[in-house]
Amino acid sequence: MKSKKSQIQLAESIGVIVVITFLMVMGIVVYHRFRQDSIEQQIREKKEIDAVSLSNTITSLPELKCSAFSSEGVSCIDLYKIKAISGCLEKTVDEINYYHDYYYDYFYNANISVIQAYPEEKTYTIYYEEGSGKNIDQIQVPVTIYDPISETNGFGVLIIKVFN
Amino acid sequence: MAQIKTRNAQAEIMGLMVIVVLVTLGFFFAVSLRSNIKTSDIQSDYTDKQLSTTFIIALLQTNIKDCPEYNVEDLIIDCATGENIECNWVGSCDMLETTLNEITDKSLIKWNSAFNLSVWDNEDNIIYTRAQNCGRGSTRIRTGIQPVQLYPVPGNAKFTLTICKQ
């Protein structure tokens, strides 16, 4: 009789231990999931900040920036500097590699282009390096495109696609 | 003896209920915490801000194709103060409308953005307006306002771009 009672009590204790273990495992799994989400969120934020800072880097590059433009709050890109830099992509293979090697440190895996919307519609690709990334963060920055020969301003958009 | 057994059983059921209640509360807490996690919008915030503010500033400085001696700002000032400028026998208000329509066609409309671009004179009359998917049923995310001085005429014209979300 006593043996049966103690067996039942033992089974009860084992049951309680199993339930507590299950609850603890559940808790650990949920905590791990939250932590993983939080880390993924931080990585995502970091990449977004990188894309935003890349857009600021590009608009302030002397290779593209207008030499004489005093307006505040808007980025100005020189039309002939865009033509010159996008022309680099059409040169021989060695020079393309050299060009990429130099700008890769600034832009990494990205597609940077300027779309002139007015007065003429034209697209200029400044830099293209897809890498192996698939997710794309895209930033559009409206810019003034200055033609130093006619001394007129056009309207365009700088499009930055960052491959993660 | 039977009474003691019933009491023990009741106490065990109570304990079980407490555990069930705690587990349920924990589950609800976890679910609510998960749904409250703020998603990152740094990139879209930045893009919306850039669009609403930089777009109109860049637009104001854009020279007109058919009469490059004038820019959009000159046309707004002239249209709001009495139309003296003529560009290819077209008045400043009509030229402003043609130019802004062309630029928005090639940018905001082409990108399928939800927006409202408006120009107001110093008496708050609308000189120009164009919108796409930015009315009822959409949320206004950000508005960029750029005042345009009409000196020597008192007051300012206003150039606004509202970015919406459907």
Side-chain angles (χ1 to χ4, degrees), chain B residues 42-54:
Chain B
I42 297 167
Q43 184 200 327
S44 58
D45 278 356
Y46 179 78
T47 307
D48 292 338
K49 191 181 172 190
Q50 283 291 322
L51 262 187
S52 60
T53 55
T54 320

Side-chain angles (χ1 to χ4, degrees), chain A residues 12 23 34 37 41 45 48 52 55-56 69 71 74 117-118 121 137-138 141-142 144 152-153 155 157, chain B residues 12 23 30 34 38-40 42-43 46 50 54-55 58 61-65 68 99 102-103 106 110-111:
Chain A
E12 242 178 34
L23 288 175
F34 277 127
D37 282 358
Q41 177 76 9
E45 274 181 17
E48 287 188 359
V52 169
S55 77
N56 287 327
F69 197 81
S71 182
V74 67
Y118 187 88
E121 225 179 341
D137 286 327
Q138 185 172 315
V141 184
T144 291
T152 55
N153 294 318
F155 179 82
V157 184
Chain B
E12 273 181 20
V23 169
R34 200 180 165 82
K38 217 179 161 188
T39 50
S40 159
I42 297 167
Q43 184 200 327
Y46 179 78
Q50 283 291 322
T54 320
F55 192 96
Q61 289 156 352
T62 304
N63 288 90
I64 310 303
K65 193 164 42 181
T99 308
E102 190 178 339
I103 295 173
K106 290 172 181 174
K110 199 174 175 183
W111 308 329

Side-chain angles (χ1 to χ4, degrees), chain A residues 34 37-38 41 45, chain B residues 27-41:
Chain A
F34 277 127
D37 282 358
S38 158
Q41 177 76 9
E45 274 181 17
Chain B
F27 178 74
F28 278 116
F29 178 70
V31 168
S32 66
L33 206 70
R34 200 180 165 82
S35 61
N36 280 341
I37 289 175
K38 217 179 161 188
T39 50
S40 159
D41 273 331

